[in-house]
Amino acid sequence: MPRRSGRVVRGLIGVFVLFLAGEVLGRTGLVDRSYLPPSSVVLVHAGRLLVNADFLRDVLFTLGGWSSGLVIAVVIAVPAGLVIGSVPIVNSAARVLVEFLRPIPAVALAPLVVLFIASQSEMERTLAAYAAMWPILMNTIYGVGDVDPVARDMARCFGLRPSAVLLRIALPSVAPFVATGVRLASSVALIVTISTELIYGSGGGGLGQYIFAASGDPDGTPDVFAAVAITGALGLALDLLLTRGERRAFRWHFDRLGKNG
């Protein structure tokens, strides 16, 4: 508990230092306020946005693309990872394809995807799912490799079928790795969703569209910074929520690693 509270205190100190630096730079005129408004001004605008119904609809639109893309990634990546990690011939056949596709940025595929998908929501859902799939897939494959071979061999000795070994032995052991992959993929999916809205949005809505529209307003700089700050806070909140759920659901796993608390 003291170690966790120490991390929180250090994090708050970092936020305060950043806030103070932005305030000083904006108030003293070292940076033009039209480019960098004081932190207090940004904070006021952020408060106004949080009670603005139109802005909250944009937040919900982005969260819809993020969540649906993440769910699609889980549905595809977890079974694929279990198969690739469990069957050596499939692993060797798929490894080159995985390593070829994984480094390709999802946003770089947007010009290709837009040829087939006209809807903004469907396009950002597709790109978010593509980007989020890789952390989940790789963590699932790694988790399959970490399954206790003694437990797996014992299950086979008792006559369990391969499918039963996978469900009863491998899957419970792999679950913590999948949860970690989902937590990592969450941030990736959020980044890709907002980037897609920002670059290729067609008026459908979302945080990316709001930031783009505000950036075109001569007086919109505070709103841009406020929306970016809210986006960062949203990403942090989602990460903390998933981390809390991960540690609570798989406490035994983190106790084994000596990382709980």
PDB file of all heavy atoms in Angstrom, residues 211-236:
ATOM      1  N   ILE A 211     -11.877  18.068 -32.146  1.00  0.00           N
ATOM      2  CA  ILE A 211     -10.557  18.718 -32.125  1.00  0.00           C
ATOM      3  C   ILE A 211     -10.242  19.341 -33.479  1.00  0.00           C
ATOM      4  O   ILE A 211      -9.725  20.462 -33.555  1.00  0.00           O
ATOM      5  CB  ILE A 211      -9.476  17.695 -31.731  1.00  0.00           C
ATOM      6  CG1 ILE A 211      -9.676  17.251 -30.276  1.00  0.00           C
ATOM      7  CG2 ILE A 211      -8.069  18.266 -31.917  1.00  0.00           C
ATOM      8  CD1 ILE A 211      -8.799  16.093 -29.852  1.00  0.00           C
ATOM      9  N   PHE A 212     -10.579  18.638 -34.549  1.00  0.00           N
ATOM     10  CA  PHE A 212     -10.330  19.165 -35.890  1.00  0.00           C
ATOM     11  C   PHE A 212     -11.135  20.439 -36.136  1.00  0.00           C
ATOM     12  O   PHE A 212     -10.623  21.432 -36.657  1.00  0.00           O
ATOM     13  CB  PHE A 212     -10.676  18.101 -36.940  1.00  0.00           C
ATOM     14  CG  PHE A 212     -10.474  18.571 -38.356  1.00  0.00           C
ATOM     15  CD1 PHE A 212      -9.205  18.601 -38.901  1.00  0.00           C
ATOM     16  CD2 PHE A 212     -11.551  18.972 -39.124  1.00  0.00           C
ATOM     17  CE1 PHE A 212      -9.006  19.031 -40.211  1.00  0.00           C
ATOM     18  CE2 PHE A 212     -11.368  19.407 -40.422  1.00  0.00           C
ATOM     19  CZ  PHE A 212     -10.090  19.438 -40.971  1.00  0.00           C
ATOM     20  N   ALA A 213     -12.409  20.410 -35.737  1.00  0.00           N
ATOM     21  CA  ALA A 213     -13.267  21.590 -35.941  1.00  0.00           C
ATOM     22  C   ALA A 213     -12.789  22.767 -35.095  1.00  0.00           C
ATOM     23  O   ALA A 213     -12.751  23.909 -35.550  1.00  0.00           O
ATOM     24  CB  ALA A 213     -14.716  21.243 -35.625  1.00  0.00           C
ATOM     25  N   ALA A 214     -12.407  22.495 -33.837  1.00  0.00           N
ATOM     26  CA  ALA A 214     -11.952  23.571 -32.951  1.00  0.00           C
ATOM     27  C   ALA A 214     -10.637  24.170 -33.428  1.00  0.00           C
ATOM     28  O   ALA A 214     -10.396  25.373 -33.256  1.00  0.00           O
ATOM     29  CB  ALA A 214     -11.799  23.042 -31.525  1.00  0.00           C
ATOM     30  N   SER A 215      -9.789  23.359 -34.058  1.00  0.00           N
ATOM     31  CA  SER A 215      -8.502  23.871 -34.540  1.00  0.00           C
ATOM     32  C   SER A 215      -8.665  24.848 -35.689  1.00  0.00           C
ATOM     33  O   SER A 215      -7.776  25.660 -35.957  1.00  0.00           O
ATOM     34  CB  SER A 215      -7.601  22.713 -34.976  1.00  0.00           C
ATOM     35  OG  SER A 215      -8.145  22.050 -36.114  1.00  0.00           O
ATOM     36  N   GLY A 216      -9.805  24.798 -36.376  1.00  0.00           N
ATOM     37  CA  GLY A 216     -10.059  25.741 -37.460  1.00  0.00           C
ATOM     38  C   GLY A 216     -10.643  27.053 -37.012  1.00  0.00           C
ATOM     39  O   GLY A 216     -10.790  27.983 -37.813  1.00  0.00           O
ATOM     40  N   ASP A 217     -10.977  27.153 -35.731  1.00  0.00           N
ATOM     41  CA  ASP A 217     -11.532  28.379 -35.162  1.00  0.00           C
ATOM     42  C   ASP A 217     -10.387  29.246 -34.635  1.00  0.00           C
ATOM     43  O   ASP A 217      -9.549  28.762 -33.867  1.00  0.00           O
ATOM     44  CB  ASP A 217     -12.490  28.033 -34.026  1.00  0.00           C
ATOM     45  CG  ASP A 217     -13.208  29.250 -33.454  1.00  0.00           C
ATOM     46  OD1 ASP A 217     -12.776  30.382 -33.749  1.00  0.00           O
ATOM     47  OD2 ASP A 217     -14.181  29.055 -32.703  1.00  0.00           O
ATOM     48  N   PRO A 218     -10.299  30.526 -35.043  1.00  0.00           N
ATOM     49  CA  PRO A 218      -9.205  31.385 -34.549  1.00  0.00           C
ATOM     50  C   PRO A 218      -9.139  31.471 -33.028  1.00  0.00           C
ATOM     51  O   PRO A 218      -8.061  31.659 -32.463  1.00  0.00           O
ATOM     52  CB  PRO A 218      -9.530  32.754 -35.166  1.00  0.00           C
ATOM     53  CG  PRO A 218     -10.370  32.447 -36.365  1.00  0.00           C
ATOM     54  CD  PRO A 218     -11.155  31.234 -36.007  1.00  0.00           C
ATOM     55  N   ASP A 219     -10.273  31.339 -32.359  1.00  0.00           N
ATOM     56  CA  ASP A 219     -10.305  31.393 -30.894  1.00  0.00           C
ATOM     57  C   ASP A 219     -10.480  30.007 -30.268  1.00  0.00           C
ATOM     58  O   ASP A 219     -10.844  29.896 -29.089  1.00  0.00           O
ATOM     59  CB  ASP A 219     -11.452  32.303 -30.432  1.00  0.00           C
ATOM     60  CG  ASP A 219     -11.291  33.727 -30.955  1.00  0.00           C
ATOM     61  OD1 ASP A 219     -10.140  34.215 -30.970  1.00  0.00           O
ATOM     62  OD2 ASP A 219     -12.313  34.334 -31.338  1.00  0.00           O
ATOM     63  N   GLY A 220     -10.213  28.985 -31.050  1.00  0.00           N
ATOM     64  CA  GLY A 220     -10.510  27.634 -30.567  1.00  0.00           C
ATOM     65  C   GLY A 220      -9.354  26.915 -29.910  1.00  0.00           C
ATOM     66  O   GLY A 220      -9.511  25.760 -29.498  1.00  0.00           O
ATOM     67  N   THR A 221      -8.185  27.578 -29.780  1.00  0.00           N
ATOM     68  CA  THR A 221      -7.026  26.899 -29.192  1.00  0.00           C
ATOM     69  C   THR A 221      -7.294  26.371 -27.789  1.00  0.00           C
ATOM     70  O   THR A 221      -6.942  25.224 -27.481  1.00  0.00           O
ATOM     71  CB  THR A 221      -5.803  27.834 -29.180  1.00  0.00           C
ATOM     72  OG1 THR A 221      -5.543  28.278 -30.521  1.00  0.00           O
ATOM     73  CG2 THR A 221      -4.576  27.114 -28.641  1.00  0.00           C
ATOM     74  N   PRO A 222      -7.919  27.172 -26.881  1.00  0.00           N
ATOM     75  CA  PRO A 222      -8.203  26.608 -25.550  1.00  0.00           C
ATOM     76  C   PRO A 222      -9.085  25.365 -25.606  1.00  0.00           C
ATOM     77  O   PRO A 222      -8.899  24.432 -24.815  1.00  0.00           O
ATOM     78  CB  PRO A 222      -8.907  27.760 -24.825  1.00  0.00           C
ATOM     79  CG  PRO A 222      -8.442  28.996 -25.521  1.00  0.00           C
ATOM     80  CD  PRO A 222      -8.304  28.595 -26.954  1.00  0.00           C
ATOM     81  N   ASP A 223     -10.054  25.351 -26.536  1.00  0.00           N
ATOM     82  CA  ASP A 223     -10.914  24.182 -26.653  1.00  0.00           C
ATOM     83  C   ASP A 223     -10.140  22.972 -27.171  1.00  0.00           C
ATOM     84  O   ASP A 223     -10.409  21.834 -26.769  1.00  0.00           O
ATOM     85  CB  ASP A 223     -12.094  24.478 -27.593  1.00  0.00           C
ATOM     86  CG  ASP A 223     -13.130  25.383 -26.944  1.00  0.00           C
ATOM     87  OD1 ASP A 223     -13.272  25.300 -25.705  1.00  0.00           O
ATOM     88  OD2 ASP A 223     -13.780  26.159 -27.656  1.00  0.00           O
ATOM     89  N   VAL A 224      -9.185  23.215 -28.068  1.00  0.00           N
ATOM     90  CA  VAL A 224      -8.355  22.118 -28.564  1.00  0.00           C
ATOM     91  C   VAL A 224      -7.564  21.506 -27.415  1.00  0.00           C
ATOM     92  O   VAL A 224      -7.553  20.278 -27.222  1.00  0.00           O
ATOM     93  CB  VAL A 224      -7.405  22.606 -29.673  1.00  0.00           C
ATOM     94  CG1 VAL A 224      -6.402  21.511 -30.033  1.00  0.00           C
ATOM     95  CG2 VAL A 224      -8.188  23.022 -30.912  1.00  0.00           C
ATOM     96  N   PHE A 225      -6.890  22.351 -26.639  1.00  0.00           N
ATOM     97  CA  PHE A 225      -6.107  21.852 -25.503  1.00  0.00           C
ATOM     98  C   PHE A 225      -7.004  21.178 -24.468  1.00  0.00           C
ATOM     99  O   PHE A 225      -6.622  20.158 -23.879  1.00  0.00           O
ATOM    100  CB  PHE A 225      -5.310  22.991 -24.868  1.00  0.00           C
ATOM    101  CG  PHE A 225      -4.019  23.293 -25.554  1.00  0.00           C
ATOM    102  CD1 PHE A 225      -3.953  24.239 -26.563  1.00  0.00           C
ATOM    103  CD2 PHE A 225      -2.861  22.616 -25.204  1.00  0.00           C
ATOM    104  CE1 PHE A 225      -2.757  24.524 -27.201  1.00  0.00           C
ATOM    105  CE2 PHE A 225      -1.657  22.890 -25.832  1.00  0.00           C
ATOM    106  CZ  PHE A 225      -1.596  23.843 -26.843  1.00  0.00           C
ATOM    107  N   ALA A 226      -8.187  21.755 -24.247  1.00  0.00           N
ATOM    108  CA  ALA A 226      -9.109  21.168 -23.269  1.00  0.00           C
ATOM    109  C   ALA A 226      -9.576  19.786 -23.730  1.00  0.00           C
ATOM    110  O   ALA A 226      -9.629  18.835 -22.927  1.00  0.00           O
ATOM    111  CB  ALA A 226     -10.308  22.090 -23.067  1.00  0.00           C
ATOM    112  N   ALA A 227      -9.918  19.660 -25.018  1.00  0.00           N
ATOM    113  CA  ALA A 227     -10.363  18.367 -25.540  1.00  0.00           C
ATOM    114  C   ALA A 227      -9.238  17.342 -25.490  1.00  0.00           C
ATOM    115  O   ALA A 227      -9.463  16.162 -25.183  1.00  0.00           O
ATOM    116  CB  ALA A 227     -10.866  18.529 -26.977  1.00  0.00           C
ATOM    117  N   VAL A 228      -7.998  17.780 -25.782  1.00  0.00           N
ATOM    118  CA  VAL A 228      -6.850  16.872 -25.706  1.00  0.00           C
ATOM    119  C   VAL A 228      -6.625  16.425 -24.262  1.00  0.00           C
ATOM    120  O   VAL A 228      -6.344  15.246 -23.999  1.00  0.00           O
ATOM    121  CB  VAL A 228      -5.590  17.559 -26.272  1.00  0.00           C
ATOM    122  CG1 VAL A 228      -4.335  16.731 -25.974  1.00  0.00           C
ATOM    123  CG2 VAL A 228      -5.729  17.765 -27.782  1.00  0.00           C
ATOM    124  N   ALA A 229      -6.747  17.356 -23.320  1.00  0.00           N
ATOM    125  CA  ALA A 229      -6.580  17.005 -21.901  1.00  0.00           C
ATOM    126  C   ALA A 229      -7.650  16.013 -21.456  1.00  0.00           C
ATOM    127  O   ALA A 229      -7.364  15.047 -20.731  1.00  0.00           O
ATOM    128  CB  ALA A 229      -6.637  18.265 -21.042  1.00  0.00           C
ATOM    129  N   ILE A 230      -8.877  16.222 -21.896  1.00  0.00           N
ATOM    130  CA  ILE A 230      -9.956  15.293 -21.549  1.00  0.00           C
ATOM    131  C   ILE A 230      -9.708  13.932 -22.179  1.00  0.00           C
ATOM    132  O   ILE A 230      -9.955  12.890 -21.556  1.00  0.00           O
ATOM    133  CB  ILE A 230     -11.309  15.873 -21.999  1.00  0.00           C
ATOM    134  CG1 ILE A 230     -11.662  17.097 -21.143  1.00  0.00           C
ATOM    135  CG2 ILE A 230     -12.418  14.827 -21.897  1.00  0.00           C
ATOM    136  CD1 ILE A 230     -12.873  17.859 -21.626  1.00  0.00           C
ATOM    137  N   THR A 231      -9.190  13.933 -23.396  1.00  0.00           N
ATOM    138  CA  THR A 231      -8.858  12.667 -24.051  1.00  0.00           C
ATOM    139  C   THR A 231      -7.799  11.909 -23.259  1.00  0.00           C
ATOM    140  O   THR A 231      -7.907  10.692 -23.060  1.00  0.00           O
ATOM    141  CB  THR A 231      -8.347  12.935 -25.475  1.00  0.00           C
ATOM    142  OG1 THR A 231      -9.374  13.604 -26.230  1.00  0.00           O
ATOM    143  CG2 THR A 231      -7.977  11.646 -26.174  1.00  0.00           C
ATOM    144  N   GLY A 232      -6.764  12.621 -22.808  1.00  0.00           N
ATOM    145  CA  GLY A 232      -5.737  11.982 -22.004  1.00  0.00           C
ATOM    146  C   GLY A 232      -6.292  11.433 -20.702  1.00  0.00           C
ATOM    147  O   GLY A 232      -5.945  10.323 -20.279  1.00  0.00           O
ATOM    148  N   ALA A 233      -7.170  12.211 -20.058  1.00  0.00           N
ATOM    149  CA  ALA A 233      -7.783  11.760 -18.813  1.00  0.00           C
ATOM    150  C   ALA A 233      -8.666  10.538 -19.050  1.00  0.00           C
ATOM    151  O   ALA A 233      -8.719   9.611 -18.227  1.00  0.00           O
ATOM    152  CB  ALA A 233      -8.601  12.893 -18.195  1.00  0.00           C
ATOM    153  N   LEU A 234      -9.341  10.521 -20.209  1.00  0.00           N
ATOM    154  CA  LEU A 234     -10.187   9.379 -20.552  1.00  0.00           C
ATOM    155  C   LEU A 234      -9.342   8.118 -20.736  1.00  0.00           C
ATOM    156  O   LEU A 234      -9.678   7.044 -20.219  1.00  0.00           O
ATOM    157  CB  LEU A 234     -10.972   9.688 -21.826  1.00  0.00           C
ATOM    158  CG  LEU A 234     -11.888   8.589 -22.369  1.00  0.00           C
ATOM    159  CD1 LEU A 234     -12.985   8.271 -21.355  1.00  0.00           C
ATOM    160  CD2 LEU A 234     -12.503   9.020 -23.704  1.00  0.00           C
ATOM    161  N   GLY A 235      -8.235   8.256 -21.456  1.00  0.00           N
ATOM    162  CA  GLY A 235      -7.345   7.112 -21.650  1.00  0.00           C
ATOM    163  C   GLY A 235      -6.781   6.612 -20.333  1.00  0.00           C
ATOM    164  O   GLY A 235      -6.688   5.397 -20.102  1.00  0.00           O
ATOM    165  N   LEU A 236      -6.406   7.546 -19.443  1.00  0.00           N
ATOM    166  CA  LEU A 236      -5.881   7.164 -18.135  1.00  0.00           C
ATOM    167  C   LEU A 236      -6.942   6.441 -17.302  1.00  0.00           C
ATOM    168  O   LEU A 236      -6.659   5.426 -16.652  1.00  0.00           O
ATOM    169  CB  LEU A 236      -5.389   8.404 -17.396  1.00  0.00           C
ATOM    170  CG  LEU A 236      -4.859   8.195 -15.976  1.00  0.00           C
ATOM    171  CD1 LEU A 236      -3.653   7.265 -15.980  1.00  0.00           C
ATOM    172  CD2 LEU A 236      -4.506   9.537 -15.334  1.00  0.00           C
TER     173      LEU A 236
END
